[in-house]
Amino acid sequence: GAGVSQSPSNKVTEKGKDVELRCDPISGHTALYWYRQRLGQGLEFLIYFQGNSAPDKSGLPSDRFSAERTGESVSTLTIQRTQQEDSAVYLCASSLALTGVHSPLHFGNGTRLTVT
Amino acid sequence: AQKITQTQPGMFVQEKEAVTLDCTYDTSDPSYGLFWYKQPSSGEMIFLIYQGSYDQQNATEGRYSLNFQKARKSANLVISASQLGDSAMYFCAMRERSNDYKLSFGAGTTVTVRA
């Protein structure tokens, strides 16, 4: 497809279970970002990738959160032992280049995670 | 400190009228980029318009224009001839080298267009 694709679009899970969220960036985009958006709030940066490397993991809320990227393409965000406060929309975005202030980020439609 | 400040949580505008959404930013980088995104109730983030710190002219994209006042560090979005489909949340955002080019977002402004 032409845009950023995220799956699943919705995920309901029980507290304590692990979840994996997937992101397929726009082909050729070297930079990939994960953001979290709680209901009615702005976007909170989680992590970004340049190629397959994640130079900055400082935005990850806890050690229950991890992310990886392979083949400079698909990325997965994993949340272990989910808690109710993890309920949010998780947005993935990609950009043509990591460096440079002029490239917009192109976002997927997000994964809405609900932890019951 | 907040990098992006949007002071208007919500706004109402009459159809066909113009509306201005405020955005102020904080950076010491000489080179930065400012972006506006639209988020309808469906949730997708739609890129609207970009303004570079070195751009001499205000950016325009169709009915969207950006009122860039560099000395005041403000980048207000103007939507002209509002349409019902413009009802959405609008986010101002900034990329800067000193922040590893991450996109920092404001809290957003909800716009409701009335018929």
Side-chain angles (χ1 to χ4, degrees):
Chain A
V4 177
S5 177
Q6 290 187 248
S7 61
S9 54
N10 279 285
K11 177 73 176 178
V12 180
T13 190
E14 291 181 354
K15 178 181 172 181
K17 301 272 185 164
D18 298 351
V19 294
E20 271 193 5
L21 312 180
R22 177 188 169 104
C23 173
D24 281 278
I26 293 172
S27 178
H29 279 196
T30 59
L32 185 147
Y33 304 78
W34 285 97
Y35 285 83
R36 178 169 71 178
Q37 186 178 29
R38 291 201 165 105
L39 187 63
Q41 297 187 19
L43 276 71
E44 174 190 5
F45 168 80
L46 297 179
I47 190 171
Y48 77 86
F49 289 88
Q50 171 62 12
N52 294 330
S53 300
D56 183 358
K57 301 180 181 179
S58 63
L60 294 176
S62 75
D63 58 8
R64 295 185 296 105
F65 287 72
S66 63
E68 67 172 14
R69 188 181 185 194
T70 57
E72 298 194 1
S73 180
V74 173
S75 176
T76 54
L77 176 69
T78 302
I79 309 173
Q80 296 178 311
R81 305 181 302 283
T82 51
Q83 304 293 314
Q84 287 185 332
E85 63 262 28
D86 299 334
S87 296
V89 175
Y90 290 82
L91 289 158
C92 176
S94 68
S95 178
L96 193 56
L98 174 65
T99 59
V101 298
H102 57 278
S103 295
L105 271 60
H106 298 274
F107 284 83
N109 288 343
T111 293
R112 183 176 300 277
L113 176 66
T114 304
V115 182
T116 62
Chain B
Q2 284 286 342
K3 286 189 173 290
I4 299 287
T5 302
Q6 295 179 255
T7 58
Q8 307 150 310
M11 298 186 70
F12 291 93
V13 60
Q14 206 64 31
E15 198 177 8
K16 299 181 186 177
E17 292 186 350
V19 62
T20 298
L21 308 183
D22 294 342
C23 172
T24 58
Y25 57 92
D26 181 27
T27 181
S28 55
D29 261 338
S31 176
Y32 52 90
L34 297 160
F35 303 82
W36 278 91
Y37 284 83
K38 172 184 178 181
Q39 188 177 42
S41 57
S42 53
E44 70 264 39
M45 292 286 286
I46 302 166
F47 165 64
L48 296 177
I49 194 168
Y50 160 80
Q51 180 83 45
S53 59
Y54 293 122
D55 292 345
Q56 295 296 311
Q57 294 192 333
N58 288 339
T60 61
E61 285 288 346
R63 295 187 297 110
Y64 303 109
S65 60
L66 207 151
N67 183 1
F68 181 46
Q69 299 188 44
K70 192 171 181 176
R72 294 186 177 183
K73 293 188 175 177
S74 77
N76 298 340
L77 177 71
V78 180
I79 306 173
S80 62
S82 295
Q83 302 172 357
L84 295 178
D86 293 335
S87 294
M89 181 84 102
Y90 289 82
F91 290 98
C92 180
M94 177 173 66
R95 289 188 89 171
E96 51 184 335
R97 183 175 56 84
S98 62
N99 195 29
D100 289 339
Y101 302 102
K102 289 179 285 191
L103 198 59
S104 300
F105 285 87
T109 296
T110 301
V111 172
T112 304
V113 181
R114 289 171 165 160

